Amino acid sequence: MQEHNAQHSRPLEVSRVTVTDAFWHTEQELVRTAVIPFQWDALNDNVPGAAPSYCMHNFKAAARQNASKAAQGKAFVPPAYTFRGFEALPEDPAHPDPDAFYGFVFQDSDFSKWIEAVGYSLAQHPDSELEATADAAIDIVCNAQLDNGYLDTYYILNGMDRAFTNLKDHHELYCLGHLVEGAVAYYQGTGKDKLLKAACRFADYVDSVFGRDEGKLHGYPGHEIAEMALVRLYETTGERRYLDLARYFVTERGRSPLYFEAEDRRRAELDGTAVEPNTNLPKPYAYYQAHEPVVEQTEAVGHAVRAAYFYSGVADVARLTGDSDLLAACDRLWRNIVDRKLYITGGIGGTHIGEAFSYDYDLPNDIAYSETCAAIALAFFARRMLQIRPVSEYADVMELALYNTVLAGMAMDGKSFFYVNPLEVDPTACHRDERKFHVKSVRQKWFGCACCPPNIARIVESIQQYATTVSDDSSTLYTHLYVGGEATVELGGRPVALVMDANLPWRGDGRAVVRIADKSDMPANAVTTATLAFRLPAWAGGEAAADAIRVEGAAGSRLSREVRDGYLYLTGEWRDGDTVTFDFPMQVRMLAANPNVREDAGKVAFMRGPVTYCAEGIDNGAALHLLHVDAAAVAADPDEVRIERTGFHAGAEGLDERGTGEVESVERDIVRLTVPGWRESGDVRSVTGGPLYAAWHPAERESASITLIPYFAWANRGETEMTVWLRV
Amino acid sequence: MQEHNAQHSRPLEVSRVTVTDAFWHTEQELVRTAVIPFQWDALNDNVPGAAPSYCMHNFKAAARQNASKAAQGKAFVPPAYTFRGFEALPEDPAHPDPDAFYGFVFQDSDFSKWIEAVGYSLAQHPDSELEATADAAIDIVCNAQLDNGYLDTYYILNGMDRAFTNLKDHHELYCLGHLVEGAVAYYQGTGKDKLLKAACRFADYVDSVFGRDEGKLHGYPGHEIAEMALVRLYETTGERRYLDLARYFVTERGRSPLYFEAEDRRRAELDGTAVEPNTNLPKPYAYYQAHEPVVEQTEAVGHAVRAAYFYSGVADVARLTGDSDLLAACDRLWRNIVDRKLYITGGIGGTHIGEAFSYDYDLPNDIAYSETCAAIALAFFARRMLQIRPVSEYADVMELALYNTVLAGMAMDGKSFFYVNPLEVDPTACHRDERKFHVKSVRQKWFGCACCPPNIARIVESIQQYATTVSDDSSTLYTHLYVGGEATVELGGRPVALVMDANLPWRGDGRAVVRIADKSDMPANAVTTATLAFRLPAWAGGEAAADAIRVEGAAGSRLSREVRDGYLYLTGEWRDGDTVTFDFPMQVRMLAANPNVREDAGKVAFMRGPVTYCAEGIDNGAALHLLHVDAAAVAADPDEVRIERTGFHAGAEGLDERGTGEVESVERDIVRLTVPGWRESGDVRSVTGGPLYAAWHPAERESASITLIPYFAWANRGETEMTVWLRV
């Protein structure tokens, strides 16, 4: 069934890529030194002032129950199920029952996300102490696994009689997915396969329960991720059944009769309750992307993280099975997102109700949801589309998400986080308008529902998996993101290293040097015949930017140049030391939204390279809505915008009574923009208390230089207004 | 305690004012012929397709229980209380239990609102059949009253043991308030006092239960209205204890310790449940205006209808007791609303969460709440401030609410209603954005919670109570609104009629003729010495418009002219036939909002006279956000706006799957405006599917004439976009 497709590619093994990039190395070090240890404390309920996670507590409780039953010589029989809420908390927080499950139904996944980040981190930066901690945690987790392979402490502790009766909302298969992701990463990072084996056993058990065969449950995950995780497990182990199971989940979803509808009914019967309507929306299971089969879907709908995780799995299965209907679905959904539902910050999910995609072109700025995890999920989807077809648009969108919303999710000290990433913030509204209570004006420490911080950790630690892929036939090495580091891969039959120096996101220049690693049989001029493909970023002019890439010296005449789908393909004989230099233009771009986007009518936003900019009140004074960009001047002469490489001093005490947005003093390097413009009415306070409505007259103008900082750097200097879009 | 204050005034008796005004007579006839009969059917669950009200069902059930106990010779002892939800519905809608209470806890008030409108209507338009129906309904209601005077069928049918244990949310005192309002209106309209006596008995019982004395409950209404109703009862009956009770309710509210907090605790004890937090907001009882004493309040907060009903009661008590602290509170709260929280349509209540005031200057257009009832409540408050001090700003705001949001609440056929009155509507958003599900793009038939339609009925039928007041010393007759009709009043010791011809809201001209009604002792030139005071509307230029008012003929030399607080006072000897003419300028006004209002930055709205205008998609094409007003041209030459008196054809079939917004074919007279402007990008559909973000360039302009219709007329021609604020 699998088509051979020379275009298909895959990320390099974690252990064979290093990141030395000034920008990303800083982020990775932040994750390694601040987030991963903090996360471990959080998993173990050791963060003062933060809500306990109960994650390791649950694994320990399950492991203890297993051990006690084993000691009595009989198989462990868990208790009968009782539902204690979507998030179960101890009656007396000071004395949790050591044998009870606490936290959210998906709390197990916190461990899996942590171990995934640890796996990547250990590959980059060996740390025996961390590895020992991780191994001990893995022992506990593995001890919690039932004999049949089942491993979700929520049901193990609450009653296995109800396992797999609420796929829709109880995240068992989501926990499987994260376990697999974590286990593979830890295996790749350390070579240790204990957790991988446990994950395989859980996957095997799920495989024995689910499928189209008679007698099996015809269900699928309520929160997707298992689809792409199982594909990864297949690619790691070579076991075809994991791909088949992923394909089953992807294609069964949304088929009529709807499994979730039937499941809702069955569960209501079990509980003796009425079936509650799932939502007020016309397609109730659209939240789960389960309203119709994916091959019939044309619009990205529902919970944005679930959706993009799902599309990632669909793309994976499409790539490996050659199913053109699935691929067409991915294409349609991708276009819908990119053409109608994508924030200029790379965020997705316009509405907080259901943390979901809103309708086409509905991209509100101040009540945006734009969850950090959703931007991460979009990067997953984009990377997978790239694996199918190296088309630069996928990399453009992936890069947009990574440099902007993903990084905005984390404070510069790595200690507080945004779940919601608005494009416009008035702190007053966040405090006083209940409609905006989901929007925070300062980052928060750690949530009970710990999705975003560990998700940031795992994607930042694995940024190299997004930068580079190698074609399935080992003929072509793709550079999607210009991230400094060294990637080693078998290319044209030889181990080749590409050593990248890059200066993004602040400068567009850099170089890639080819090293032929194994020169044993060719002492003088080691050679391999291969293609290096370099993305031509849309922000640099797209294919017009091909001239910005040069092959140095004699190699230039040895190699053919071809531009295709936004990539420059350099093909021919590569020798050790061959060097490709690039110098992408880094013009400031002043962008307008499609006129269908009501929220952005009459406004512009600024980008430079992959970085989206914003204005903060701390730099520009209050009432950012009274600032106007002199767009005509900037359009006429881009040099009207001042570009300044400068230090950025983060550090502020938290001001939000609901958050803890304290940021430690940190100095980072950024590029700041200064845009010409004007401000209405001088001082807005002078009109406070004045008439609410008065005869219109042309606004009094006071010229103003508008200071813009990278969006990812906002909210690092205390609570202040912010806006990405500025009036013209 | 009562200060004598010559400025204080009161509305004329309902039976002594007639409305012949072309505009308002049409509205009143709509209410009389369409709304009142429909409302009666609704109260009796006879509207096919609409949710049953159960209002008369409940009164009948209570009356039957009373009768059955009376027949057994013993006092009626109601059952023990059981809570069956804030809205109780029969398990089998086809067979409701005849003895059970159904509907909302405040369902009794539906009858009271209906009887109030009927009272006003009968005063204007005698109708023996309607009166007989009303008398029969009153008999049923009075039969439901307990021997002690208590009259709220919710507790009579569900268990009197819990009466007055949930003042905060169970609306008993709200039902008392509406009963009083309805009873007084029916008494004034018909002279019949059966219901009035019942209302007095209920009020007396409440007076025996509540107060500061030891042994009494120190509570007050959860939903205010009883305060102003009791003042009206005092003014109707002369019984001082009703004013004292109103004063108690007004001044006790919000005093520490908070009654509602204690009540919540007590009820939780009774129920054996935990006390639930009232809200996430910092001042939990602000929703009820009960977070602090009103004399300490500085900001209008909480549920907007409750708030403005409360402030109305505070103003009434301040007027009658001369309490300067209460008056100062009214002044502060009025200023806060008018300067920071008032829509240009006269609506209040920016947020649907709690149907409440949002924070200062937060006046969102597309997710506005702006409940019809809140605009009505604002008119109540404004009229009462006018009664304290004849200052034209109060009348300006009252008029704004009445001509715009209040009337927008009802379709032109009187058969469907808006509860929420947004200033900007995109039907797609109403259907697809759950954040906007409270916003309807077409009017709806009748809600289970029937607050707005009957409220519109009672205010429209009593518009004359807002147009004219007479000073307490009978020296001055104030014309606040220019509404055609005849007002008869004792003035300067004689019965005088003022016969008003007016052409608002479309023309500013008209006249008022004085008729000395009782000429028995002065055969030739009947004379009275008095003052007629005429408001100088802000829309006509305020005090500068005094010149627009002329006394015809010789009377001019007999009368002094004085302008004070936006009123022209004409004082001296008035003779039968004396005529005052007026011709207020009706310029189109192009208004901008205070720069603190973020939502309206860069936008203008149009008014002419008291009427606020809007643009609908049906006239202007889709994508109203791409329309721009050529504000400079209009500012330079107001004649750039075309003013056209024209027929307006209402009529459309409903398109909203959740509503029934069908409007019957009706022809009305309106003034339409045509404003010069331009539209961006020609056809927005050409960019649909195009790139979401692209380099900014100056918008392509296509000149456009923007058609504006009165805001109150919107959504009468099918589902379409609408906006009040237009980009400049």
Side-chain angles (χ1 to χ4, degrees), chain A residues 342 361 592 594-595 625 689 692-694, chain B residues 342 361 592 594-595 625 689 692-694:
Chain A
L342 176 66
Y361 297 113
N594 187 298
H625 65 290
L692 198 44
Y693 306 105
Chain B
L342 176 66
Y361 298 111
N594 187 298
H625 66 289
L692 199 43
Y693 305 105

Side-chain angles (χ1 to χ4, degrees), chain A residues 491-494 496 514 516 522 526-530 572-576:
Chain A
L491 202 65
R494 292 192 174 275
V496 171
V514 173
I516 311 288
M522 359 177 71
V527 168
T528 189
T529 301
E573 274 187 20
W574 292 90
R575 297 190 184 169
D576 186 58

Side-chain angles (χ1 to χ4, degrees), chain A residues 619-682:
Chain A
D619 295 317
N620 297 287
L624 297 177
H625 65 290
L626 299 181
L627 281 181
H628 293 248
V629 170
D630 189 345
V634 174
D637 179 8
D639 288 343
E640 286 278 337
V641 178
R642 197 165 75 233
I643 300 168
E644 192 185 358
R645 184 82 178 260
T646 177
F648 180 85
H649 186 79
E653 290 189 7
L655 298 164
D656 182 330
E657 73 265 20
R658 287 177 305 278
T660 54
E662 208 165 289
V663 181
E664 286 175 13
S665 178
V666 178
E667 194 83 16
R668 284 282 290 272
D669 213 32
I670 66 160
V671 163
R672 187 163 59 200
L673 305 182
T674 312
V675 175
W678 51 281
R679 176 179 267 285
E680 281 179 36
S681 293

Side-chain angles (χ1 to χ4, degrees), chain A residues 493-656:
Chain A
R494 292 192 174 275
V496 171
L498 190 69
V499 182
M500 174 80 69
D501 280 317
N503 295 293
L504 283 175
W506 312 127
R507 278 167 40 196
D509 61 323
R511 59 180 197 159
V513 180
V514 173
R515 293 282 169 210
I516 311 288
D518 177 6
K519 288 177 276 194
S520 51
D521 60 345
M522 359 177 71
N525 271 317
V527 168
T528 189
T529 301
T531 301
L532 296 187
F534 294 91
R535 165 174 159 253
L536 303 169
W539 50 258
E543 296 194 350
D547 294 343
I549 301 181
R550 291 169 46 174
V551 182
E552 298 294 304
S557 55
R558 257 186 276 123
L559 300 164
S560 72
R561 291 172 71 96
E562 188 193 356
V563 172
R564 201 166 64 237
D565 293 335
Y567 281 77
L568 172 65
Y569 289 81
L570 299 173
T571 306
E573 274 187 20
W574 292 90
R575 297 190 184 169
D576 186 58
D578 281 351
T579 299
V580 176
T581 62
F582 51 90
D583 192 4
F584 296 120
M586 294 286 282
Q587 265 99 23
V588 173
R589 284 164 303 133
M590 180 172 63
L591 299 169
N594 187 298
N596 283 298
V597 182
R598 285 168 189 264
E599 284 275 330
D600 300 335
K603 295 181 175 179
V604 291
F606 289 84
M607 294 190 70
R608 182 171 173 274
V611 174
T612 304
Y613 278 78
C614 69
E616 280 198 306
I618 193 173
D619 295 317
N620 297 287
L624 297 177
H625 65 290
L626 299 181
L627 281 181
H628 293 248
V629 170
D630 189 345
V634 174
D637 179 8
D639 288 343
E640 286 278 337
V641 178
R642 197 165 75 233
I643 300 168
E644 192 185 358
R645 184 82 178 260
T646 177
F648 180 85
H649 186 79
E653 290 189 7
L655 298 164
D656 182 330

Side-chain angles (χ1 to χ4, degrees), chain A residues 24 228 304-305 308-309 311-312 315-316 334 337 342 346-348 371-387 393-406 455 459-460 462-463 465-467 480-481:
Chain A
W24 284 105
M228 60 175 155
V305 176
Y309 279 12
Y311 308 153
S312 300
D316 274 341
W334 175 267
I337 293 173
L342 176 66
I348 51 173
E371 187 181 340
T372 308
C373 288
I376 291 169
L378 180 62
F380 292 167
F381 184 26
R383 213 272 316 275
R384 282 158 178 83
M385 293 304 285
L386 272 178
Q387 289 184 247
E393 185 190 60
Y394 301 129
D396 288 332
V397 170
M398 181 171 80
E399 186 182 56
L400 187 73
L402 290 169
Y403 276 99
N404 298 290
T405 298
V406 171
N455 237 350
I459 200 162
V460 166
S462 62
I463 190 69
Q465 300 276 298
Y466 301 83
H480 305 297
L481 303 180

Side-chain angles (χ1 to χ4, degrees), chain A residues 279-282 299 301 337-344 350-354 358-364 366-369 424-426 428-429 431-437 590-604 622-626 631-632 635 657 680-681 684-685 687-698 721 725 727-728, chain B residues 279-282 299 301 337-344 350-354 358-364 366-369 424-426 428-429 431-437 590-604 622-626 631-632 635 657 680-681 684-685 687-698 721 725 727-728:
Chain A
T279 158
N280 292 320
L281 287 170
E299 185 181 354
V301 293
I337 293 173
V338 173
D339 292 342
R340 305 182 186 212
K341 301 194 173 188
L342 176 66
Y343 283 104
I344 199 165
T351 176
H352 68 284
I353 299 183
S358 189
Y359 57 96
D360 284 354
Y361 297 113
D362 185 44
L363 293 163
D366 58 343
I367 52 169
Y369 201 72
E424 180 183 329
V425 165
D426 170 11
T428 307
H431 294 293
R432 294 217 40 192
D433 185 350
E434 288 181 273
R435 292 166 302 193
K436 292 179 188 156
F437 275 7
M590 180 172 63
L591 299 169
N594 187 298
N596 283 298
V597 182
R598 285 168 189 264
E599 284 275 330
D600 300 335
K603 295 181 175 179
V604 291
L624 297 177
H625 65 290
L626 299 181
E657 73 265 20
E680 281 179 36
S681 293
V684 67
R685 279 161 299 192
V687 297
T688 298
L692 198 44
Y693 306 105
W696 177 88
H697 57 81
E721 274 182 62
W725 291 96
R727 289 170 68 196
V728 170
Chain B
T279 156
N280 292 322
L281 287 168
E299 184 181 354
V301 293
I337 293 173
V338 172
D339 292 343
R340 305 183 187 211
K341 299 194 174 187
L342 176 66
Y343 282 105
I344 198 165
T351 175
H352 68 283
I353 300 182
S358 188
Y359 57 96
D360 284 354
Y361 298 111
D362 184 43
L363 293 163
D366 59 343
I367 53 169
Y369 201 73
E424 181 183 330
V425 165
D426 170 9
T428 307
H431 295 292
R432 294 216 42 192
D433 185 351
E434 288 182 273
R435 291 166 302 193
K436 292 179 187 155
F437 275 6
M590 180 172 64
L591 300 168
N594 187 298
N596 282 298
V597 183
R598 285 168 190 265
E599 283 275 330
D600 300 335
K603 295 182 175 179
V604 291
L624 296 177
H625 66 289
L626 299 182
E657 73 264 22
E680 282 179 34
S681 293
V684 68
R685 281 161 298 194
V687 297
T688 298
L692 199 43
Y693 305 105
W696 178 86
H697 57 82
E721 273 183 62
W725 291 96
R727 289 170 69 196
V728 171

Side-chain angles (χ1 to χ4, degrees), chain B residues 319-480:
Chain B
R319 173 170 56 87
L320 291 169
T321 64
D323 185 323
S324 58
D325 291 338
L326 289 180
L327 180 56
C330 289
D331 287 340
R332 284 194 306 273
L333 294 163
W334 174 269
R335 282 258 65 79
N336 181 249
I337 293 173
V338 172
D339 292 343
R340 305 183 187 211
K341 299 194 174 187
L342 176 66
Y343 282 105
I344 198 165
T345 51
I348 51 174
T351 175
H352 68 283
I353 300 182
E355 306 177 324
F357 285 107
S358 188
Y359 57 96
D360 284 354
Y361 298 111
D362 184 43
L363 293 163
N365 295 310
D366 59 343
I367 53 169
Y369 201 73
S370 183
E371 187 181 340
T372 307
C373 288
I376 291 168
L378 180 62
F380 293 166
F381 183 29
R383 212 275 313 279
R384 282 157 177 83
M385 293 305 284
L386 273 178
Q387 288 183 249
I388 297 174
R389 298 188 200 108
V391 173
S392 58
E393 185 190 64
Y394 301 129
D396 289 331
V397 171
M398 181 171 81
E399 188 181 56
L400 187 73
L402 290 169
Y403 276 98
N404 298 291
T405 298
V406 172
L407 291 185
M410 180 165 65
M412 283 197 176
D413 63 358
K415 292 186 175 164
S416 58
F417 304 88
F418 277 134
Y419 289 59
V420 169
N421 295 280
L423 281 79
E424 181 183 330
V425 165
D426 170 9
T428 307
C430 298
H431 295 292
R432 294 216 42 192
D433 185 351
E434 288 182 273
R435 291 166 302 193
K436 292 179 187 155
F437 275 6
H438 66 285
V439 177
K440 307 298 174 196
S441 47
V442 293
R443 291 179 183 81
Q444 298 183 271
K445 267 237 155 75
W446 194 267
F447 283 35
C449 173
C451 57
C452 298
N455 237 351
I456 296 173
R458 69 192 188 110
I459 199 162
V460 165
E461 285 296 305
S462 61
I463 189 71
Q464 56 279 14
Q465 301 276 299
Y466 301 83
T468 315
T469 61
V470 61
S471 65
D472 281 358
D473 64 2
S474 292
S475 70
T476 308
L477 183 65
Y478 292 97
T479 295
H480 304 297

Side-chain angles (χ1 to χ4, degrees), chain A residues 310-328:
Chain A
F310 178 49
Y311 308 153
S312 300
V314 177
D316 274 341
V317 172
R319 172 171 55 87
L320 291 170
T321 64
D323 185 323
S324 57
D325 291 339
L326 289 181
L327 180 55

